[in-house]
Amino acid sequence: MTSEGLSAISRLRAGLPEDAQRVLPTDSDIHELETLNLSGCWMTGLPPEISELHALKRLVLSSCLNLVAFPLEICSLKDTLEDLELAGCRKLAALPPEIGALGSLESLNVSGCSLLMVLPPEIGSCVSLTTLNLSLCSLLSALPPEIGSLVSLESLNVSGCSLLIVLPPEIGSCISLAALNLSMCIKLAELPVEVGQLFELDSLDLRGCSLLKSVPADIWALETLEYLDLRGTGLGAGAKSRGVSTLPGWDLVKSIGAAQIARMA
């Protein structure tokens, strides 16, 4: 280890609580560190020395129960950080506009951040995002229109967002989206017609969306769609009577009833 790296680790360690200090490396140069897992640590923030982790690709802050604000120091990793895990940070109430600076970010997980109410419009600047997990963000009521700028997004999970009322029509601009999980969004009453323009979509989970009475007609024409779950929706029991089972290339999965439809190969 270089003397410079040793000094940097010492400074970083000094800025963290004792439980977080124990997970820092002792035998590698801090400038080569690619993954830092601080999950479950009782920290309220990150020291400025985090900016010295020039090779860091993955930062795990899951279940840091004292984390009440997004550590802006993370934004200094804008050129390298690819994976940010904040799942279960139950006191985290907001993501700041500065998150848009993370141009290399490919995966963002804020699942279970139950105080998170808003996704900032600057999320649309995270153009490298392929995976966005917002599940169980029970106070999240809407997604910003800027989500349509995420043209690399392949997976969007908003399951269990019980206050989510609508999806923005801009969702149709997420041209790479393959998996959309809206299960247990119990206040979601309709889908924008633009969902039918997601030509890469292969999985759509609407389980438990009890207010949902219909889906856009263009969904049935999506050639890539392999999995559609309508259990617990307003379509469920009447799916067969609406002619779903007779659509070309589709069949009902009898084992779990007429509420789930799967596109057969």
Side-chain angles (χ1 to χ4, degrees), residues 68 75 95 99 109 119 200 218 231:
V68 297
C75 298
L95 297 178
I99 197 170
N109 185 354
L119 196 62
E200 298 298 320
D218 287 347
R231 285 175 292 173

Side-chain angles (χ1 to χ4, degrees), residues 119-157:
L119 196 62
E122 289 79 8
I123 195 71
S125 297
C126 298
V127 293
S128 298
L129 266 184
T130 60
T131 302
L132 179 57
N133 189 343
L134 301 166
S135 63
L136 300 176
C137 292
S138 53
L139 295 184
L140 187 70
S141 60
L143 299 179
E146 289 79 5
I147 201 163
S149 299
L150 302 180
V151 294
S152 297
L153 192 66
E154 298 175 1
S155 174
L156 175 60
N157 188 346

Side-chain angles (χ1 to χ4, degrees), residues 11-55:
R11 293 196 303 272
L12 180 58
R13 180 175 284 108
L16 291 171
E18 185 175 344
D19 59 342
Q21 292 178 19
R22 290 194 290 267
V23 304
L24 287 178
T26 57
D27 57 354
S28 64
D29 195 307
I30 193 170
H31 301 300
E32 298 176 359
L33 190 66
E34 294 188 355
T35 298
L36 180 59
N37 189 340
L38 299 172
S39 59
C41 292
W42 292 90
M43 64 175 75
T44 57
L46 291 173
E49 286 77 17
I50 197 79
S51 64
E52 299 189 43
L53 303 181
H54 303 308

Side-chain angles (χ1 to χ4, degrees), residues 158-191:
V158 289
S159 62
C161 292
S162 53
L163 292 185
L164 188 70
I165 299 174
V166 296
L167 286 181
E170 289 81 4
I171 194 75
S173 297
C174 296
I175 57 175
S176 301
L177 196 62
L180 178 57
N181 190 341
L182 296 162
S183 61
M184 300 309 298
C185 291
I186 58 176
K187 292 196 173 181
L188 186 69
E190 62 179 350
L191 297 180

